[in-house]
């Protein structure tokens, strides 16, 4: 693989190949049993993002955002404080393990043909 973009959060890393394929590693593996101990992901695992090519990735400490060629935004990670753009504003934190479509930033939702051209995540 040839990596064109790599970013890291506190305990996870996301990279995009020159072909626009996203991969993630580090952090805990999604838990299937509530009492199961998290297992670190030590090797890159592909992410499914609606079959679109990724143009940009950005990481905050505990979350990630992806921008596709179609100018769609996806996010995943900790949900607290609205950081994912998914309408979850409470302080109680949940983890979204797979990229989720950010509807309010979609080309169909924005007015006058506006499109997202650049994304940036930061802080906690």
């Amino acid at each position: 693989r040839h990596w064109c973009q790599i970013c890291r959060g506190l305990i996870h890393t996301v990279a995009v190949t020159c072909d626009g394929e996203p991969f993630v590693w580090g952090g805990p593996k999604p838990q299937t049993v509530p009492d199961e101990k998290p297992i670190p992901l030590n090797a890159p695992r592909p992410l499914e993002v609606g079959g679109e090519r990724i143009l940009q990735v950005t990481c905050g400490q505990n979350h990630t955002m992806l921008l596709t060629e179609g100018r769609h935004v996806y996010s995943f990670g900790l949900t607290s404080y609205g950081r994912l753009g998914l309408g979850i504003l409470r302080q109680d934190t949940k983890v979204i393990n797979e990229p989720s479509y950010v509807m309010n930033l979609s080309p169909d939702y924005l007015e006058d043909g506006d499109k997202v051209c650049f994304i940036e995540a930061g802080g906690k």
Side-chain angles (χ1 to χ4, degrees):
R1 294 183 188 113
H2 291 90
W3 305 109
C4 282
Q5 194 177 116
I6 300 173
C7 72
R8 69 163 186 84
L10 180 64
I11 61 170
H12 75 290
T13 300
V14 181
V16 179
T17 68
C18 296
D19 293 328
E21 298 173 273
F23 290 80
V24 63
W25 65 94
K29 176 182 175 187
Q31 294 173 275
T32 55
V33 179
D35 295 329
E36 180 183 22
K37 290 185 179 181
I39 301 169
L41 297 170
N42 295 324
R45 173 181 67 87
L47 289 171
E48 176 55 43
V49 188
E52 290 189 77
R53 183 173 184 263
I54 299 301
L55 295 180
Q56 184 191 356
V57 61
T58 182
C59 295
Q61 184 173 351
N62 296 301
H63 65 293
T64 297
M65 298 180 76
L66 301 148
L67 178 63
T68 71
E69 193 169 48
R71 305 299 179 183
H72 299 111
V73 177
Y74 288 80
S75 64
F76 64 98
L78 296 184
T79 61
S80 57
Y81 304 107
R83 73 183 86 205
L84 299 183
L86 302 174
I88 303 168
L89 300 175
R90 300 181 314 271
Q91 274 190 295
D92 60 317
T93 301
K94 295 181 182 177
V95 178
I96 305 291
N97 289 307
E98 296 297 326
S100 297
Y101 185 53
V102 182
M103 179 74 75
N104 291 340
L105 294 177
S106 73
D108 295 333
Y109 188 85
L110 298 173
E111 295 182 14
D112 301 324
D114 289 342
K115 294 180 182 178
V116 176
C117 296
F118 183 83
I119 53 175
E120 182 66 40
K124 297 181 180 183

